Amino acid sequence: MSVAQGLAQFKETEGGEAFRLQNSKLLKVELAGEEVQTKLGSMVAYQGDVRFEHAGSGGLSRMIKKAVTNEGTELMKIAGSGEVFLADAAQDIQLLRLDNERITANGPHVLAFESGIDWDIKRVEGASGALAGGLYNMELSGTGNVALVSDGPPVLIEIDGDDTFADPQAAITWSEGVTSTVKTDVNMKTFIGKGSGETIQLSFSGHGWLLIQPSEGRVAAGGGSGGGAAGALGNLLGGH
């Protein structure tokens, strides 16, 4: 067997879709004059006449929100004609197609989205006191493809009236009909280091769905909901 034959199983897949998975961890974006926004630094290869630039904050309002909340994935714009291959630390990639819909996502899980998708920063309700500034997420709305990443294969949980609770770092994205609030378990045991280790959770209610990953890590160091909550709790316990 030749080397080429041995590598044939890894050959890139072709097709007319703008977003096309090459495998569970690598996304190919077909550019044909339209602009796509992607996580900064997620490009692993490209072909053709492709231009890259920092996306900035997308307006004064979002710039202020990002400065205040430390939320919002750092984005870059890619445009031109050709193919761009995207990945993020070999995490699994999940493709969603929005049709005039709105979802909320934990910012660090957002890998890429098309020009028909708009985004904003939204505060999670229910935090108070020292935790009030700690939990923010990205809201994505419009029509187009969205690519998210998960640390392992995710699970889709249906939400139909009863409250569902999840670790802030495990919650990837949830539908428009679902409301998220903060649930905290800060007591004396927390202060003396004998708490459960599950001090902050997100409570989801309403009607729709929630996508969770089988991990509480990986994206935490990059900011987002979990990182903000951890930082706020650290300030609380440290007396700041």
Side-chain angles (χ1 to χ4, degrees), residues 63-91:
M63 181 182 71
I64 295 173
K65 288 181 183 179
K66 289 183 71 173
V68 172
T69 67
N70 195 32
E71 174 58 283
T73 298
E74 291 295 322
L75 299 171
M76 66 179 178
K77 297 178 181 179
I78 58 175
S81 60
E83 302 172 340
V84 181
F85 296 85
L86 304 174
D88 184 16
Q91 296 187 88

PDB file of all heavy atoms in Angstrom, residues 63-91:
ATOM      1  N   MET A  63     -18.705  47.092  22.497  1.00  0.00           N
ATOM      2  CA  MET A  63     -17.374  47.355  23.028  1.00  0.00           C
ATOM      3  C   MET A  63     -17.445  47.652  24.519  1.00  0.00           C
ATOM      4  O   MET A  63     -16.647  47.155  25.315  1.00  0.00           O
ATOM      5  CB  MET A  63     -16.718  48.518  22.288  1.00  0.00           C
ATOM      6  CG  MET A  63     -15.303  48.843  22.789  1.00  0.00           C
ATOM      7  SD  MET A  63     -14.573  50.260  21.943  1.00  0.00           S
ATOM      8  CE  MET A  63     -15.562  51.593  22.623  1.00  0.00           C
ATOM      9  N   ILE A  64     -18.427  48.467  24.931  1.00  0.00           N
ATOM     10  CA  ILE A  64     -18.600  48.801  26.348  1.00  0.00           C
ATOM     11  C   ILE A  64     -18.981  47.550  27.138  1.00  0.00           C
ATOM     12  O   ILE A  64     -18.457  47.294  28.221  1.00  0.00           O
ATOM     13  CB  ILE A  64     -19.657  49.903  26.511  1.00  0.00           C
ATOM     14  CG1 ILE A  64     -19.155  51.209  25.868  1.00  0.00           C
ATOM     15  CG2 ILE A  64     -19.987  50.127  27.984  1.00  0.00           C
ATOM     16  CD1 ILE A  64     -20.196  52.306  25.822  1.00  0.00           C
ATOM     17  N   LYS A  65     -19.903  46.754  26.590  1.00  0.00           N
ATOM     18  CA  LYS A  65     -20.324  45.528  27.273  1.00  0.00           C
ATOM     19  C   LYS A  65     -19.147  44.580  27.471  1.00  0.00           C
ATOM     20  O   LYS A  65     -18.983  43.976  28.535  1.00  0.00           O
ATOM     21  CB  LYS A  65     -21.432  44.830  26.491  1.00  0.00           C
ATOM     22  CG  LYS A  65     -22.776  45.526  26.537  1.00  0.00           C
ATOM     23  CD  LYS A  65     -23.808  44.746  25.745  1.00  0.00           C
ATOM     24  CE  LYS A  65     -25.151  45.441  25.714  1.00  0.00           C
ATOM     25  NZ  LYS A  65     -26.146  44.680  24.927  1.00  0.00           N
ATOM     26  N   LYS A  66     -18.317  44.424  26.450  1.00  0.00           N
ATOM     27  CA  LYS A  66     -17.178  43.524  26.564  1.00  0.00           C
ATOM     28  C   LYS A  66     -16.192  44.032  27.607  1.00  0.00           C
ATOM     29  O   LYS A  66     -15.602  43.252  28.360  1.00  0.00           O
ATOM     30  CB  LYS A  66     -16.486  43.356  25.213  1.00  0.00           C
ATOM     31  CG  LYS A  66     -17.281  42.543  24.205  1.00  0.00           C
ATOM     32  CD  LYS A  66     -16.529  42.339  22.912  1.00  0.00           C
ATOM     33  CE  LYS A  66     -15.378  41.374  23.102  1.00  0.00           C
ATOM     34  NZ  LYS A  66     -14.726  41.014  21.830  1.00  0.00           N
ATOM     35  N   ALA A  67     -15.992  45.351  27.651  1.00  0.00           N
ATOM     36  CA  ALA A  67     -15.066  45.920  28.624  1.00  0.00           C
ATOM     37  C   ALA A  67     -15.567  45.729  30.044  1.00  0.00           C
ATOM     38  O   ALA A  67     -14.802  45.437  30.963  1.00  0.00           O
ATOM     39  CB  ALA A  67     -14.849  47.404  28.327  1.00  0.00           C
ATOM     40  N   VAL A  68     -16.870  45.881  30.240  1.00  0.00           N
ATOM     41  CA  VAL A  68     -17.445  45.782  31.575  1.00  0.00           C
ATOM     42  C   VAL A  68     -17.564  44.336  32.030  1.00  0.00           C
ATOM     43  O   VAL A  68     -17.298  44.006  33.189  1.00  0.00           O
ATOM     44  CB  VAL A  68     -18.831  46.478  31.612  1.00  0.00           C
ATOM     45  CG1 VAL A  68     -19.535  46.207  32.934  1.00  0.00           C
ATOM     46  CG2 VAL A  68     -18.670  47.980  31.391  1.00  0.00           C
ATOM     47  N   THR A  69     -17.962  43.434  31.113  1.00  0.00           N
ATOM     48  CA  THR A  69     -18.285  42.067  31.501  1.00  0.00           C
ATOM     49  C   THR A  69     -17.154  41.075  31.270  1.00  0.00           C
ATOM     50  O   THR A  69     -17.205  39.955  31.777  1.00  0.00           O
ATOM     51  CB  THR A  69     -19.504  41.565  30.707  1.00  0.00           C
ATOM     52  OG1 THR A  69     -19.151  41.453  29.318  1.00  0.00           O
ATOM     53  CG2 THR A  69     -20.677  42.514  30.851  1.00  0.00           C
ATOM     54  N   ASN A  70     -16.160  41.436  30.466  1.00  0.00           N
ATOM     55  CA  ASN A  70     -15.099  40.499  30.085  1.00  0.00           C
ATOM     56  C   ASN A  70     -15.681  39.278  29.358  1.00  0.00           C
ATOM     57  O   ASN A  70     -15.151  38.181  29.429  1.00  0.00           O
ATOM     58  CB  ASN A  70     -14.294  40.039  31.296  1.00  0.00           C
ATOM     59  CG  ASN A  70     -12.974  39.378  30.884  1.00  0.00           C
ATOM     60  OD1 ASN A  70     -12.381  39.746  29.869  1.00  0.00           O
ATOM     61  ND2 ASN A  70     -12.521  38.407  31.664  1.00  0.00           N
ATOM     62  N   GLU A  71     -16.798  39.459  28.676  1.00  0.00           N
ATOM     63  CA  GLU A  71     -17.454  38.390  27.938  1.00  0.00           C
ATOM     64  C   GLU A  71     -17.412  38.704  26.448  1.00  0.00           C
ATOM     65  O   GLU A  71     -17.151  39.823  26.044  1.00  0.00           O
ATOM     66  CB  GLU A  71     -18.910  38.229  28.410  1.00  0.00           C
ATOM     67  CG  GLU A  71     -19.736  37.235  27.615  1.00  0.00           C
ATOM     68  CD  GLU A  71     -19.153  35.846  27.600  1.00  0.00           C
ATOM     69  OE1 GLU A  71     -18.171  35.634  26.847  1.00  0.00           O
ATOM     70  OE2 GLU A  71     -19.639  34.972  28.321  1.00  0.00           O
ATOM     71  N   GLY A  72     -17.666  37.709  25.658  1.00  0.00           N
ATOM     72  CA  GLY A  72     -17.660  37.873  24.219  1.00  0.00           C
ATOM     73  C   GLY A  72     -16.385  37.306  23.654  1.00  0.00           C
ATOM     74  O   GLY A  72     -15.286  37.815  23.882  1.00  0.00           O
ATOM     75  N   THR A  73     -16.487  36.213  22.926  1.00  0.00           N
ATOM     76  CA  THR A  73     -15.322  35.584  22.338  1.00  0.00           C
ATOM     77  C   THR A  73     -14.615  36.561  21.409  1.00  0.00           C
ATOM     78  O   THR A  73     -15.254  37.277  20.636  1.00  0.00           O
ATOM     79  CB  THR A  73     -15.757  34.328  21.549  1.00  0.00           C
ATOM     80  OG1 THR A  73     -16.347  33.405  22.455  1.00  0.00           O
ATOM     81  CG2 THR A  73     -14.585  33.676  20.857  1.00  0.00           C
ATOM     82  N   GLU A  74     -13.279  36.603  21.462  1.00  0.00           N
ATOM     83  CA  GLU A  74     -12.522  37.423  20.534  1.00  0.00           C
ATOM     84  C   GLU A  74     -12.683  36.848  19.132  1.00  0.00           C
ATOM     85  O   GLU A  74     -12.384  35.682  18.888  1.00  0.00           O
ATOM     86  CB  GLU A  74     -11.043  37.459  20.935  1.00  0.00           C
ATOM     87  CG  GLU A  74     -10.760  38.226  22.223  1.00  0.00           C
ATOM     88  CD  GLU A  74     -11.088  39.707  22.073  1.00  0.00           C
ATOM     89  OE1 GLU A  74     -10.826  40.277  20.995  1.00  0.00           O
ATOM     90  OE2 GLU A  74     -11.616  40.290  23.039  1.00  0.00           O
ATOM     91  N   LEU A  75     -13.167  37.677  18.210  1.00  0.00           N
ATOM     92  CA  LEU A  75     -13.519  37.211  16.882  1.00  0.00           C
ATOM     93  C   LEU A  75     -12.600  37.800  15.818  1.00  0.00           C
ATOM     94  O   LEU A  75     -12.021  38.874  15.988  1.00  0.00           O
ATOM     95  CB  LEU A  75     -14.969  37.602  16.559  1.00  0.00           C
ATOM     96  CG  LEU A  75     -16.055  37.034  17.480  1.00  0.00           C
ATOM     97  CD1 LEU A  75     -17.388  37.691  17.165  1.00  0.00           C
ATOM     98  CD2 LEU A  75     -16.149  35.525  17.339  1.00  0.00           C
ATOM     99  N   MET A  76     -12.485  37.084  14.699  1.00  0.00           N
ATOM    100  CA  MET A  76     -11.829  37.621  13.518  1.00  0.00           C
ATOM    101  C   MET A  76     -12.763  37.445  12.327  1.00  0.00           C
ATOM    102  O   MET A  76     -13.606  36.547  12.310  1.00  0.00           O
ATOM    103  CB  MET A  76     -10.484  36.933  13.248  1.00  0.00           C
ATOM    104  CG  MET A  76     -10.565  35.471  12.883  1.00  0.00           C
ATOM    105  SD  MET A  76      -8.904  34.793  12.554  1.00  0.00           S
ATOM    106  CE  MET A  76      -9.303  33.062  12.220  1.00  0.00           C
ATOM    107  N   LYS A  77     -12.631  38.329  11.349  1.00  0.00           N
ATOM    108  CA  LYS A  77     -13.407  38.249  10.127  1.00  0.00           C
ATOM    109  C   LYS A  77     -12.577  37.589   9.039  1.00  0.00           C
ATOM    110  O   LYS A  77     -11.391  37.903   8.879  1.00  0.00           O
ATOM    111  CB  LYS A  77     -13.828  39.653   9.675  1.00  0.00           C
ATOM    112  CG  LYS A  77     -14.744  40.382  10.632  1.00  0.00           C
ATOM    113  CD  LYS A  77     -15.066  41.771  10.110  1.00  0.00           C
ATOM    114  CE  LYS A  77     -15.966  42.534  11.076  1.00  0.00           C
ATOM    115  NZ  LYS A  77     -16.256  43.910  10.587  1.00  0.00           N
ATOM    116  N   ILE A  78     -13.203  36.675   8.308  1.00  0.00           N
ATOM    117  CA  ILE A  78     -12.551  36.091   7.145  1.00  0.00           C
ATOM    118  C   ILE A  78     -13.440  36.352   5.943  1.00  0.00           C
ATOM    119  O   ILE A  78     -14.665  36.242   6.013  1.00  0.00           O
ATOM    120  CB  ILE A  78     -12.269  34.586   7.322  1.00  0.00           C
ATOM    121  CG1 ILE A  78     -13.558  33.804   7.602  1.00  0.00           C
ATOM    122  CG2 ILE A  78     -11.276  34.364   8.450  1.00  0.00           C
ATOM    123  CD1 ILE A  78     -13.346  32.304   7.675  1.00  0.00           C
ATOM    124  N   ALA A  79     -12.824  36.744   4.834  1.00  0.00           N
ATOM    125  CA  ALA A  79     -13.570  37.075   3.628  1.00  0.00           C
ATOM    126  C   ALA A  79     -12.702  36.750   2.419  1.00  0.00           C
ATOM    127  O   ALA A  79     -11.504  36.491   2.524  1.00  0.00           O
ATOM    128  CB  ALA A  79     -13.977  38.541   3.640  1.00  0.00           C
ATOM    129  N   GLY A  80     -13.321  36.779   1.247  1.00  0.00           N
ATOM    130  CA  GLY A  80     -12.613  36.497   0.011  1.00  0.00           C
ATOM    131  C   GLY A  80     -13.212  35.299  -0.690  1.00  0.00           C
ATOM    132  O   GLY A  80     -14.412  35.035  -0.607  1.00  0.00           O
ATOM    133  N   SER A  81     -12.362  34.551  -1.361  1.00  0.00           N
ATOM    134  CA  SER A  81     -12.806  33.343  -2.053  1.00  0.00           C
ATOM    135  C   SER A  81     -11.807  32.233  -1.775  1.00  0.00           C
ATOM    136  O   SER A  81     -10.594  32.433  -1.857  1.00  0.00           O
ATOM    137  CB  SER A  81     -12.914  33.583  -3.562  1.00  0.00           C
ATOM    138  OG  SER A  81     -11.669  33.962  -4.111  1.00  0.00           O
ATOM    139  N   GLY A  82     -12.312  31.078  -1.417  1.00  0.00           N
ATOM    140  CA  GLY A  82     -11.438  29.960  -1.101  1.00  0.00           C
ATOM    141  C   GLY A  82     -12.030  29.103  -0.007  1.00  0.00           C
ATOM    142  O   GLY A  82     -13.239  29.130   0.254  1.00  0.00           O
ATOM    143  N   GLU A  83     -11.174  28.355   0.657  1.00  0.00           N
ATOM    144  CA  GLU A  83     -11.576  27.438   1.711  1.00  0.00           C
ATOM    145  C   GLU A  83     -10.729  27.686   2.950  1.00  0.00           C
ATOM    146  O   GLU A  83      -9.514  27.829   2.855  1.00  0.00           O
ATOM    147  CB  GLU A  83     -11.397  25.986   1.268  1.00  0.00           C
ATOM    148  CG  GLU A  83     -12.173  25.624   0.000  1.00  0.00           C
ATOM    149  CD  GLU A  83     -11.815  24.252  -0.520  1.00  0.00           C
ATOM    150  OE1 GLU A  83     -10.730  23.734  -0.157  1.00  0.00           O
ATOM    151  OE2 GLU A  83     -12.612  23.703  -1.290  1.00  0.00           O
ATOM    152  N   VAL A  84     -11.386  27.739   4.100  1.00  0.00           N
ATOM    153  CA  VAL A  84     -10.685  27.942   5.367  1.00  0.00           C
ATOM    154  C   VAL A  84     -11.038  26.780   6.290  1.00  0.00           C
ATOM    155  O   VAL A  84     -12.213  26.409   6.421  1.00  0.00           O
ATOM    156  CB  VAL A  84     -11.092  29.275   6.029  1.00  0.00           C
ATOM    157  CG1 VAL A  84     -10.332  29.468   7.337  1.00  0.00           C
ATOM    158  CG2 VAL A  84     -10.832  30.445   5.083  1.00  0.00           C
ATOM    159  N   PHE A  85     -10.022  26.208   6.910  1.00  0.00           N
ATOM    160  CA  PHE A  85     -10.218  25.093   7.834  1.00  0.00           C
ATOM    161  C   PHE A  85     -10.077  25.613   9.255  1.00  0.00           C
ATOM    162  O   PHE A  85      -9.078  26.274   9.594  1.00  0.00           O
ATOM    163  CB  PHE A  85      -9.199  23.985   7.566  1.00  0.00           C
ATOM    164  CG  PHE A  85      -9.347  23.359   6.206  1.00  0.00           C
ATOM    165  CD1 PHE A  85      -8.749  23.934   5.091  1.00  0.00           C
ATOM    166  CD2 PHE A  85     -10.094  22.197   6.031  1.00  0.00           C
ATOM    167  CE1 PHE A  85      -8.892  23.363   3.835  1.00  0.00           C
ATOM    168  CE2 PHE A  85     -10.237  21.626   4.782  1.00  0.00           C
ATOM    169  CZ  PHE A  85      -9.643  22.204   3.678  1.00  0.00           C
ATOM    170  N   LEU A  86     -11.075  25.316  10.082  1.00  0.00           N
ATOM    171  CA  LEU A  86     -11.131  25.843  11.446  1.00  0.00           C
ATOM    172  C   LEU A  86     -11.177  24.707  12.458  1.00  0.00           C
ATOM    173  O   LEU A  86     -11.805  23.668  12.227  1.00  0.00           O
ATOM    174  CB  LEU A  86     -12.380  26.711  11.631  1.00  0.00           C
ATOM    175  CG  LEU A  86     -12.572  27.886  10.669  1.00  0.00           C
ATOM    176  CD1 LEU A  86     -13.931  28.534  10.920  1.00  0.00           C
ATOM    177  CD2 LEU A  86     -11.457  28.909  10.819  1.00  0.00           C
ATOM    178  N   ALA A  87     -10.551  24.939  13.616  1.00  0.00           N
ATOM    179  CA  ALA A  87     -10.586  23.990  14.726  1.00  0.00           C
ATOM    180  C   ALA A  87     -10.252  24.750  16.000  1.00  0.00           C
ATOM    181  O   ALA A  87      -9.718  25.868  15.962  1.00  0.00           O
ATOM    182  CB  ALA A  87      -9.605  22.847  14.512  1.00  0.00           C
ATOM    183  N   ASP A  88     -10.547  24.128  17.138  1.00  0.00           N
ATOM    184  CA  ASP A  88     -10.258  24.750  18.433  1.00  0.00           C
ATOM    185  C   ASP A  88      -9.853  23.670  19.425  1.00  0.00           C
ATOM    186  O   ASP A  88     -10.705  22.998  20.014  1.00  0.00           O
ATOM    187  CB  ASP A  88     -11.479  25.514  18.937  1.00  0.00           C
ATOM    188  CG  ASP A  88     -11.204  26.261  20.243  1.00  0.00           C
ATOM    189  OD1 ASP A  88     -10.013  26.435  20.583  1.00  0.00           O
ATOM    190  OD2 ASP A  88     -12.156  26.663  20.920  1.00  0.00           O
ATOM    191  N   ALA A  89      -8.559  23.483  19.593  1.00  0.00           N
ATOM    192  CA  ALA A  89      -8.009  22.550  20.586  1.00  0.00           C
ATOM    193  C   ALA A  89      -8.583  21.140  20.452  1.00  0.00           C
ATOM    194  O   ALA A  89      -8.778  20.454  21.453  1.00  0.00           O
ATOM    195  CB  ALA A  89      -8.232  23.089  22.003  1.00  0.00           C
ATOM    196  N   ALA A  90      -8.841  20.724  19.211  1.00  0.00           N
ATOM    197  CA  ALA A  90      -9.355  19.373  18.921  1.00  0.00           C
ATOM    198  C   ALA A  90     -10.673  19.073  19.642  1.00  0.00           C
ATOM    199  O   ALA A  90     -10.985  17.929  19.927  1.00  0.00           O
ATOM    200  CB  ALA A  90      -8.317  18.304  19.247  1.00  0.00           C
ATOM    201  N   GLN A  91     -11.446  20.111  19.935  1.00  0.00           N
ATOM    202  CA  GLN A  91     -12.774  19.900  20.512  1.00  0.00           C
ATOM    203  C   GLN A  91     -13.748  19.481  19.413  1.00  0.00           C
ATOM    204  O   GLN A  91     -13.550  19.776  18.233  1.00  0.00           O
ATOM    205  CB  GLN A  91     -13.266  21.176  21.198  1.00  0.00           C
ATOM    206  CG  GLN A  91     -12.423  21.589  22.394  1.00  0.00           C
ATOM    207  CD  GLN A  91     -13.039  22.755  23.146  1.00  0.00           C
ATOM    208  OE1 GLN A  91     -13.847  22.582  24.043  1.00  0.00           O
ATOM    209  NE2 GLN A  91     -12.667  23.960  22.769  1.00  0.00           N
TER     210      GLN A  91
END
